[in-house]
Amino acid sequence: MNLITRLTTYLRFQPFEIQTQEGRAHERHRQIVLTSFSSGIAKLLAMATSFAMVPLTLNYLGVERFGLWMTVSSAVAMLGFADLGVGSGVMNAVATGHGKDDNQGIRKSIAVGILLLSTIAIFILSIFFVLYPLIPWPKFFNVGSQIAAAEVAPTVAVIVIVFAFSIPAGIALKVQMGLQLGFFSNIWLAVGSVMGLFAVLGVIFFGGGLPYLAAATVAPPVLVGIFAGFYFFYQQRPNLRPNFNNLKISDAKYLAGTSSLFLVLQISGLVAFQKDNLIVMHYLGAGAVATYAVAFKLFSLPIIIMSLFLNAMWPAYAEANSRGDRQWIFHSFRKSIRYSAILVLPMAVVLLLAGQWIIEKWAGSSVVPSWDLLIGLFFWAVLAIFGGNFAMLLNGLGVIRFQVVTSVIMAIVNIALSVWLVQVIGVSGVIWGSVISLVFFLYLPTAIYLRKYF
């Protein structure tokens, strides 16, 4: 069955019967296709709004304030581990419970997750408001102009506050992914992207400063997530509404154990992929951040496209694994490697050859990258073909400790190499540090592990 035939077979809303192993395999494929299709729409909208915002905000803010905006965003994105891995733990618990038809266990996992995530959000806000007046924000972010110095502190405050609220607000989307209903969560993400674009246009139209621009960018998806949660638990699946009655410490044992491992993975990944702007800002200044951030965003395109279907594979692997359907897992993994290579490689080659021209037309001549940066980003995008597939498979199989060890080693080497190389060869040093560490300390050991596993 070729790719087109598969799409036409599974792109339907009527589910397959799931009383047999073959029927369950068809139903997994149907949910993957629906999730991928809706994810494509959501990602296209997100990409369109994100790429439209670059020239809008760059021209509106100027190079230094734009570089500050990118750096602050990256710094806060590094706090993604602040949910302590609970979000990923909830999704994994829901997927496993779904494979066992254990609705009561799912309800308890969701309830424990909400309590833990809310506690984490309150803790983050408490710590932030204690430290906020003590940190010299303009000096910390190395900004020179008077207007950037005045805006940096309130911008950080806005992003951190909204980020804290986003931690418990997104749990419904995690639950939907765990149930292989990612097409619903993708619809909500698309709504958040569109609302964010209109909010940014409104700020620019009325001449608002960087703090207002930050709020317009990060707040709409959080508000949409809150609404999506109420709608899902009270309209779509009231049978999965969180059960807070008679919760025990033992109910949180599985979730806490899994979440702690996901926490280490999140920290390692965020350090490896979000530290670049901070390193460039520290050693080369805000102007260099603007150049790097624009090029990085361009080469994120193939990665985003690949994620359209990869994100749906994790819960499908977990559900199949809980049912012992190893043959489906093996064949689906091989197909995902092949399809992601077909999607990503041609686009990565085009971006390498035409990257400078695209960026000049898109964002302006002031942020056109060098060839060594483009080549490094090309190899980074190619590596992501394998890395994304490896991670989804291992997560679904519950092979977390192995990932923790390799990811921590990779992150440490990545930081050291990036700091050294950025001083030796300039802005491209951070991406070459990532490429080298990913090849030798993460993807090569993972490939060897999977070869032995299968």
Side-chain angles (χ1 to χ4, degrees):
M1 188 184 295
N2 59 39
L3 179 59
I4 302 300
T5 305
R6 286 179 178 277
L7 290 177
T8 55
T9 300
Y10 297 120
L11 192 60
R12 68 180 199 177
F13 288 104
Q14 182 180 1
F16 290 92
E17 59 85 20
I18 56 173
Q19 303 306 314
T20 65
Q21 186 172 356
E22 182 181 2
R24 286 193 295 269
H26 285 311
E27 180 61 12
R28 288 187 205 111
H29 285 131
R30 184 188 75 88
Q31 291 171 333
I32 289 171
V33 169
L34 282 178
T35 299
S36 302
F37 183 76
S38 61
S39 180
I41 297 174
K43 295 289 186 181
L44 284 174
L45 283 172
M47 284 190 296
T49 55
S50 177
F51 275 69
M53 285 182 189
V54 169
L56 285 172
T57 54
L58 180 58
N59 294 329
Y60 180 69
L61 297 172
V63 172
E64 184 184 39
R65 293 168 73 204
F66 177 79
L68 171 62
W69 166 232
M70 291 292 101
T71 304
V72 173
S73 301
S74 296
V76 176
M78 291 185 70
L79 295 175
F81 68 86
D83 75 344
L84 304 184
V86 174
S88 297
V90 168
M91 187 175 76
N92 224 40
V94 169
T96 302
H98 178 51
K100 298 176 180 178
D101 299 318
D102 182 12
N103 284 351
Q104 187 61 28
I106 292 174
R107 294 179 68 193
K108 286 188 176 182
S109 295
I110 296 171
V112 172
I114 291 175
L115 291 176
L116 290 176
L117 292 172
S118 299
T119 302
I120 293 167
I122 294 171
F123 178 76
I124 289 174
L125 290 175
S126 301
I127 295 297
F128 176 72
F129 283 118
V130 170
L131 297 177
Y132 179 74
L134 304 178
I135 298 176
W137 296 106
K139 183 177 180 181
F140 182 83
F141 285 99
N142 191 24
V143 294
S145 69
Q146 185 175 357
I147 186 171
E151 289 182 329
V152 60
T155 299
V156 171
V158 166
I159 296 179
V160 171
I161 291 171
V162 176
F163 169 78
F165 278 98
S166 73
I167 292 176
I171 192 166
L173 305 185
K174 293 288 187 180
V175 173
Q176 289 172 340
M177 288 297 297
L179 294 171
Q180 300 178 55
L181 299 175
F183 42 92
F184 288 119
S185 59
N186 289 327
I187 291 172
W188 292 116
L189 291 172
V191 172
S193 297
V194 174
M195 288 179 60
L197 177 60
F198 280 106
V200 167
L201 291 173
V203 170
I204 293 175
F205 179 80
F206 289 104
L210 185 54
Y212 294 99
L213 193 67
T217 304
V218 298
V222 178
L223 296 175
V224 169
I226 294 172
F227 181 82
F230 279 102
Y231 184 78
F232 181 75
F233 291 121
Y234 285 89
Q235 294 294 326
Q236 288 181 286
R237 299 295 293 271
N239 63 316
L240 295 181
R241 193 178 305 161
N243 180 15
F244 295 96
N245 296 325
N246 302 320
L247 286 179
K248 302 175 183 178
I249 297 297
S250 59
D251 295 328
K253 185 176 180 180
Y254 170 79
L255 183 60
T258 306
S259 299
S260 63
L261 296 175
F262 280 119
L263 169 63
V264 179
L265 283 179
Q266 288 178 352
I267 294 175
S268 301
L270 287 165
V271 167
F273 297 112
Q274 297 294 337
K275 57 62 169 97
D276 292 352
N277 286 342
L278 295 175
I279 293 175
V280 174
M281 170 70 87
H282 180 77
Y283 288 101
L284 304 177
V289 173
T291 300
Y292 179 79
V294 170
F296 187 88
K297 185 176 288 290
L298 180 66
F299 273 85
S300 297
L301 270 173
I303 314 305
I304 293 172
I305 291 176
M306 183 185 68
S307 70
L308 298 183
F309 70 92
L310 276 189
N311 290 338
M313 298 302 296
W314 176 356
Y317 286 140
E319 185 262 336
N321 188 51
S322 68
R323 297 184 187 274
D325 195 351
R326 187 165 176 167
Q327 184 178 9
W328 182 90
I329 294 173
F330 176 67
H331 289 299
S332 297
F333 174 66
R334 292 180 61 184
K335 291 173 185 175
S336 72
I337 287 282
R338 183 167 67 249
Y339 292 152
S340 55
I342 292 172
L343 287 170
V344 173
L345 279 176
M347 181 176 290
V349 172
V350 171
L351 293 180
L352 171 64
L353 299 177
Q356 291 182 330
W357 178 83
I358 293 173
I359 289 175
E360 182 177 7
K361 299 299 181 184
W362 167 42
S365 58
S366 62
V367 291
V368 173
S370 60
W371 271 106
D372 57 333
L373 177 56
L374 289 177
I375 295 172
L377 287 167
F378 167 78
F379 281 107
W380 172 78
V382 172
L383 287 172
I385 298 174
F386 305 101
N389 282 279
F390 291 161
M392 294 303 102
L393 176 61
L394 293 176
N395 288 344
L397 295 177
V399 183
I400 312 301
R401 296 184 186 278
F402 172 82
Q403 292 187 82
V404 167
V405 173
T406 54
S407 295
V408 168
I409 296 173
M410 179 276 298
I412 294 172
V413 175
N414 196 332
I415 294 173
L417 277 176
S418 297
V419 169
W420 175 60
L421 288 174
V422 79
Q423 299 175 76
V424 175
I425 63 177
V427 67
S428 65
V430 288
I431 199 64
W432 282 110
S434 296
V435 168
I436 295 170
S437 58
L438 285 170
V439 169
F440 292 103
F441 298 96
L442 186 60
Y443 296 155
L444 183 59
T446 302
I448 295 172
Y449 177 91
L450 288 176
R451 182 175 179 83
K452 292 181 178 179
Y453 180 87
F454 283 120

